[in-house]
């Protein structure tokens, strides 16, 4: 089955036979409660199966849900593995600062242990951020404020200001930095947000969610990441909403043409079902695909194994095209989240070997930009009414909202209605910055992506070189005496100067628009 295969710089084409295909990027569809349409025996337990009620009498099913409260097992936000970054985007030569669940951590490569380490991002001396430090020549994490050094276990190995002949004060527990359990799985670095010694070997008891396609060599596994200026709840529910794709991302993605076209964009009824919902998330049926929500971070859509195969695929099962949408959503702080994405497929593997990753990211970031402002504003409106009142404020009468409703029901029933920040935040969202800052690409993506960062630097060098060629060509023509240069040569030099100048201006615009800031106006799409 066809899926994301061709990406162009300005447009991402995702040919798939069904509407989900772009769960692939966010949307503002946050609506209200009508019960999910469920299949099988579990539907009576989870939600009441209803067809959409008459618009004259909107149903408010969530009012009948208090029975959930106090009865369901509760989801512990701090007893889970959380993703930090794809390994491909971590530089072993320096420490990296990241925030997850409001916890500031420093990620660094411990060459003595041959492993990534995750520590509190605060030196115990004067609380300077260790992420602004360096890796010293002995492979230790060094705070650049006063030079204190730490090993992979968080133990202090050097206090330069302590007299050599004095007591070994660096061995004091107060001199140590807290170390978090961490592991690499599916080429992503994960950490456990608790430094209590009882969790030191938590990896032997509980592992991060495993996605087999990422580790399967017969699939591609190119990844990307971006910091998002709206919260985790809005991010993840938007990725579960395929109905917004033809509208919020109009022109960016290929969508199947409906049999009866009701508008230019081609919206259609979608038959989505939640098959099972419990504390461990839910499984949904979307026709051509299945999807899983594996809390707290992963939404994973994959080809439906029950779909009938073509005759060619029956004759040669290995020829069956398979494609996955994997979204890893990280709660950073109120109003901020991080998205890691990966779209494994078992066809067109050569494309990823030939096309650099940053080319894909240009189009993928444009998709994120196309509804970024909508979702940022939407989140502020949800906060104004109160996240726990979502069901009362939003009207979601169709099956196309089934996954969004399922997520909100999971959040309310098992997880307290919102992320547990443990009192570290007042609950207020950060104010809305200027649009150019809100939709910034450089600090939210480019600096955190090896491929895009390298391309950004290289293209800037090319731009400067074109300017130099332009100036130098004009200078040569101007300084040459009459008759020492033929007319043809002179004209060629002038043409080269003009062409170099035009190319440098075009390249400057391309760099700014694709690596710095790309505004998005839906009215003119």
């Amino acid at each position: 089955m066809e899926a994301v295969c061709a990406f162009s710089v300005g447009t991402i084409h995702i040919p798939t036979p069904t509407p989900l295909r772009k769960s692939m990027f966010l949307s503002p569809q946050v609506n209200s409660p009508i019960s999910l349409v469920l299949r099988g025996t579990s539907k009576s337990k989870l939600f009441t199966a209803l067809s959409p009620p008459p618009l004259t009498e909107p149903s408010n099913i969530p009012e009948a849900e208090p029975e959930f409260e106090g009865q369901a097992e509760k989801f512990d936000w701090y007893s889970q593995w959380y993703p930090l970054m794809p390994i491909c985007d971590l530089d072993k030569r320096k420490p990296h600062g990241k925030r997850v669940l409001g916890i500031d951590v420093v990620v660094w490569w411990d060459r003595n242990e041959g492993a990534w380490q995750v520590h509190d991002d605060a030196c115990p001396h004067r609380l300077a951020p260790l992420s602004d430090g360096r890796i010293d020549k002995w492979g230790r994490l060094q705070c650049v404020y006063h030079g204190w050094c730490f090993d992979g276990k968080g133990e202090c190995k050097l206090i330069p200001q302590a007299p050599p002949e004095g007591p070994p004060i660096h061995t004091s527990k107060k001199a140590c930095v807290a170390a978090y359990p961490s592991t690499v799985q599916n080429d992503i670095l994960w950490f456990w947000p608790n430094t209590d010694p009882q969790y030191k070997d938590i990896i032997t008891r509980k592992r991060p969610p495993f996605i087999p396609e990422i580790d399967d060599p017969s699939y591609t596994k190119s990844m990307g990441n971006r910091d998002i200026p709206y919260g985790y709840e809005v991010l993840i529910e938007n990725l579960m909403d395929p109905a917004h794709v033809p509208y919020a991302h109009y022109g960016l993605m290929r969508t199947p043409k409906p049999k009866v076209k009701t508008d230019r964009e081609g919206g259609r009824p979608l038959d989505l079902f939640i098959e099972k919902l419990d504390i461990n998330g839910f499984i949904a049926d979307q026709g051509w695909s299945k999807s899983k929500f594996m809390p707290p971070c992963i939404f994973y859509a994959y080809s439906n194994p029950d779909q009938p195969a073509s005759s060619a695929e029956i004759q040669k099962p290995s020829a069956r095209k398979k494609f996955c949408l994997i979204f890893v959503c990280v709660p950073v702080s109120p109003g901020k989240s991080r998205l890691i994405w990966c779209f494994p497929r078992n066809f067109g593997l050569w494309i990823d070997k030939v096309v650099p990753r940053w080319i894909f990211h240009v189009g993928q970031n444009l998709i994120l930009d196309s509804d970024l402002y909508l979702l940022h504003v939407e989140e502020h409106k949800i906060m104004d009414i109160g996240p726990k009142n979502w069901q009362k404020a939003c009207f979601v009468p169709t099956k196309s909202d089934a996954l969004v409703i399922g997520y909100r029901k999971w959040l309310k029933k098992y997880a307290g209605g919102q992320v547990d920040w443990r009192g570290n935040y007042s609950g207020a969202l950060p104010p809305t910055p200027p649009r150019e800052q809100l939709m910034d690409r450089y600090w939210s993506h480019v600096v955190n992506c090896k491929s895009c960062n390298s391309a950004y630097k290289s293209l800037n060098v090319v731009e400067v070189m074109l300017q130099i060629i332009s100036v130098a060509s004009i200078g040569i023509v101007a300084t040459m005496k009459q008759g020492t240069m033929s007319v043809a040569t002179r004209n060629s030099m002038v043409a080269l100067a003009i062409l170099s100048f035009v190319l440098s201006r075009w390249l400057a615009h391309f760099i700014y628009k694709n690596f710095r800031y790309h505004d998005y106006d839906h009215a003119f799409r």
Side-chain angles (χ1 to χ4, degrees):
M1 134 180 343
E2 299 261 341
V4 174
C5 178
F7 293 80
S8 65
V9 169
T11 305
I12 295 191
H13 305 290
I14 304 188
T16 62
T18 90
L20 175 113
R21 166 219 54 263
K22 181 183 165 232
S23 251
M24 176 169 193
F25 275 104
L26 307 52
S27 153
Q29 297 228 270
V30 186
N31 296 344
S32 120
I34 259 195
S35 292
L36 301 180
V37 181
L38 301 172
R39 288 178 174 169
T41 57
S42 62
K43 65 184 177 183
S44 61
K45 275 173 125 180
L46 299 176
F47 313 106
T48 306
L50 295 176
S51 56
L55 293 180
T56 54
E57 294 184 11
S59 175
N60 202 8
I61 302 303
E63 293 296 335
E65 290 180 10
E67 58 181 311
F68 288 170
E69 304 299 332
Q71 296 180 9
E73 183 182 356
K74 293 303 177 184
F75 181 81
D76 186 350
W77 291 90
Y78 292 83
S79 293
Q80 314 295 330
W81 286 97
Y82 286 87
L84 287 165
M85 283 288 283
I87 294 300
C88 62
D89 288 324
L90 289 175
D91 189 341
K92 292 182 178 181
R93 300 171 300 172
K94 67 173 190 176
H96 305 264
K98 295 296 171 186
R99 178 177 292 174
V100 177
L101 283 178
I103 303 170
D104 291 315
V105 298
V106 56
V107 177
W108 63 286
W109 175 253
D110 179 3
R111 68 171 182 258
N112 296 313
E113 297 293 331
W116 290 99
Q117 307 291 359
V118 182
H119 294 167
D120 262 341
D121 193 14
C123 178
H125 178 214
R126 299 267 292 281
L127 305 184
L130 293 171
S131 56
D132 280 341
R134 64 173 70 95
I135 311 300
D136 73 5
K137 63 180 181 179
W138 290 281
R140 303 173 302 193
L141 177 62
Q142 183 186 71
C143 176
V144 293
Y145 194 20
H146 292 91
W148 288 32
C149 294
F150 307 89
D151 67 8
K153 297 178 181 178
E155 296 175 355
C156 184
K157 293 299 180 182
L158 175 67
I159 297 179
Q161 296 77 23
E165 65 281 359
I169 56 176
H170 68 278
T171 61
S172 169
K173 287 185 178 181
K174 290 185 177 181
C176 297
V177 62
Y180 294 90
S182 60
T183 189
V184 174
Q185 181 161 287
N186 288 141
D187 291 335
I188 295 173
L189 178 64
W190 301 74
F191 92 114
W192 186 269
N194 197 319
T195 59
D196 192 296
Q198 67 173 307
Y199 297 111
K200 184 178 180 180
D201 63 346
I202 186 64
I203 191 65
T204 63
R205 290 173 275 147
K206 183 176 182 178
R207 296 192 64 86
F210 178 70
I211 301 173
E213 288 84 354
I214 295 180
D215 285 353
D216 189 334
S218 66
Y219 283 75
T220 62
K221 58 177 180 181
S222 178
M223 293 188 182
N225 75 87
R226 183 165 174 178
D227 291 337
I228 306 293
Y230 48 81
Y232 155 87
E233 295 95 338
V234 172
L235 170 64
I236 202 165
E237 74 177 15
N238 178 67
L239 295 169
M240 295 176 177
D241 173 23
H244 79 282
V245 176
Y247 300 93
H249 309 301
Y250 178 75
L252 298 179
M253 308 178 68
R254 290 177 183 169
T255 56
K257 293 182 179 179
K259 294 179 180 178
V260 178
K261 196 167 183 178
T262 57
D263 54 26
R264 179 193 68 166
E265 293 80 6
R268 66 172 76 186
L270 302 179
D271 195 14
L272 309 183
F273 296 90
I274 298 291
E275 294 184 340
K276 176 185 177 183
L277 187 150
D278 57 29
I279 193 171
N280 297 312
F282 59 74
I283 298 173
D285 185 346
Q286 302 170 25
W288 75 277
S289 72
K290 295 273 190 175
S291 60
K292 293 180 183 178
F293 168 51
M294 296 184 278
C297 298
I298 294 178
F299 179 63
Y300 165 43
Y302 53 97
S303 305
N304 191 340
D306 299 327
Q307 282 288 98
S310 66
S311 58
E313 293 171 343
I314 293 174
Q315 294 174 6
K316 189 179 179 182
S318 61
R320 184 165 190 173
K321 293 181 178 180
K322 298 177 182 178
F323 176 73
C324 304
L325 301 174
I326 299 168
F327 300 104
V328 185
C329 307
V330 186
V332 173
S333 61
K336 295 183 183 296
S337 56
R338 183 175 304 114
L339 175 64
I340 300 170
W341 66 85
C342 183
F343 308 133
R345 65 181 187 277
N346 68 348
F347 57 94
L349 274 64
W350 63 271
I351 297 175
D352 288 44
K353 296 177 181 178
V354 175
V355 180
R357 199 158 52 107
W358 70 267
I359 295 287
F360 295 96
H361 289 180
V362 166
Q364 290 162 353
N365 274 302
L366 185 59
I367 289 178
L368 282 169
D369 287 338
S370 60
D371 57 10
L372 187 150
Y373 182 77
L374 302 176
L375 295 167
H376 176 83
V377 173
E378 175 188 294
E379 181 180 36
H380 279 256
K381 291 183 178 180
I382 291 174
M383 186 58 68
D384 288 343
I385 64 171
K388 293 185 178 180
N389 294 321
W390 182 89
Q391 287 89 347
K392 296 179 181 179
C394 301
F395 179 53
V396 281
T398 70
K399 293 181 182 179
S400 65
D401 294 310
L403 274 66
V404 174
I405 300 171
Y407 169 70
R408 284 288 176 174
K409 291 201 174 195
W410 174 87
L411 197 64
K412 179 179 180 181
K413 181 177 180 181
Y414 298 106
Q418 59 188 10
V419 176
D420 178 11
W421 302 108
R422 290 197 169 172
N424 292 329
Y425 296 95
S426 64
L429 296 174
T432 299
R435 194 177 179 97
E436 188 167 348
Q437 183 180 339
L438 181 72
M439 302 179 70
D440 161 77
R441 284 194 190 178
Y442 182 77
W443 293 107
S444 65
H445 172 73
V446 174
V447 296
N448 296 315
C449 172
K450 277 188 180 179
S451 180
C452 290
N453 200 11
S454 177
Y456 176 77
K457 292 176 180 178
S458 299
L459 291 173
N460 273 296
V461 170
V462 173
E463 181 199 345
V464 172
M465 290 177 63
L466 287 171
Q467 292 175 1
I468 292 173
I469 291 172
S470 178
V471 173
S473 299
I474 292 295
I476 291 171
V477 171
T479 56
M480 295 297 289
K481 294 182 178 179
Q482 189 88 21
T484 59
M485 181 183 293
S486 67
V487 174
T489 303
R490 182 183 294 270
N491 290 342
S492 297
M493 295 293 287
V494 171
L496 177 63
I498 294 173
L499 180 61
S500 297
F501 176 77
V502 171
L503 285 175
S504 73
R505 293 299 84 211
W506 175 87
L507 187 56
H509 176 73
F510 176 85
I511 292 170
Y512 181 76
K513 198 169 185 180
N514 291 289
F515 295 93
R516 283 287 183 179
Y517 167 67
H518 190 141
D519 198 4
Y520 199 96
D521 191 337
H522 289 271
F524 297 101
R525 286 281 170 175

